[in-house]
Amino acid sequence: MFSYRHAFHAGSHADILKHLILIHLVEYLQEKPGALTIIDTHAGAGIYSLKDGFAAVSKEAEGGIFKLFQFIESGHPTADSVKKYVGLIQVENVEGELVTYPGSPFILARLLRPQDRLKLFELHPKEIDILRHNVRELKQAKQIDVYAEDSFSRLKGLLPPPSRRGLVLIDPSYEDKQDYRYLETAMEEALQRFATGCYAIWYPALARREAAALPDRMKKIATHHKRSWLHAELRVENAPGERRLQASGMFIINPPWTLEKNLAQALPILIKALGIGSGAQFVLKSFEV
Ligand code: SAM
């Protein structure tokens, strides 16, 4: 436990899929003026250097955000949601050169309106200190609460939010194999308390039994609670035996009606920009109650 540091994966293809979807969810939910509560159950450090530290060692951003920026700079056609996502990454890189990658806490903080609130959970003893320090630097800091607590057990206590309008990002590291089980329990409890919330769950698309079963487990929970869902997976390559993460997915419960159309445009662009060989492909499925 606690060997996972998100800086190794900052700006990877998995971050791109997760953050692009996250931005669309927030923007859709902000179409109404009522206050929105956003809960990021697994926050990480908040923002990462791409030039030094863990990210420079792993070089995952080279196959992710650097590749996407090059693709766009070469004049390839893109999609609105890709442009919006890239715009938010550029906010943290005012000098033009890509040196910093914002994690979900910073992306979400930048999108907050004055009436919105952001709640961040982080358990790692070093990451929580870095996160607190980073959040203090934000002009939105007063709208943000940071909890050094286990979000799987604490989530239900925050639901439903006072305004009854809420978005929950669940982005575990799955470092602890039990996370798959904790996720199911947390989702059951969350839907019992706040069935109309929008829930976005990230997962690594791995051969491991629990990971492969995750989308079906989430479908079962959504169906049991009579909720609509959307499932998107982005595979950038198919190289059996290769240790690096080649695919990841997002499972959304109560997705906005606009999300599927949006991803039908964005995912083929991400495949063109980030794909390696003919194994690059995406999945996009949904079910409406
Ligand atoms: N959401 C972040 C982003 O998109 O930038 C990345 C988060 S990273 C995948 C997962 C984080 O969750 C790690 O920093 C880890 O320390 C933290 N974590 C693991 N188990 C947790 C738990 N039960 N409650 C809260 N945080 C946890």
Side-chain angles (χ1 to χ4, degrees), residues 32 39 43 45 58 61-64 66 78 90 99 112 140 146 173-174 202 212 214 219 221 233 238 249-250 252 281:
K32 290 200 178 131
I39 304 173
S58 74
E62 284 183 12
F66 283 109
T78 184
Q90 280 165 336
V99 291
L112 292 177
Q140 300 85 352
V146 181
S173 49
Y174 300 99
W202 180 87
L214 187 146
K219 277 175 209 170
I221 292 173
E233 212 169 270
N238 191 0
M250 287 285 275
I252 325 296
Q281 57 191 348

Side-chain angles (χ1 to χ4, degrees), residues 4 6 18-19 41-44 103-104 122-124 150-151 171:
Y4 182 95
H6 193 67
K18 173 182 34 176
H19 295 152
T41 60
H42 295 74
S104 50
E122 176 53 52
L123 259 189
H124 193 291
D150 168 33
S151 57
D171 181 22

Side-chain angles (χ1 to χ4, degrees), residues 11-13 16 59-68 236 273-274:
S12 63
H13 60 83
I16 293 176
K59 299 196 185 329
E60 287 196 21
E62 284 183 12
I65 192 66
F66 283 109
K67 217 169 163 184
L68 181 60
V236 296
L274 309 174

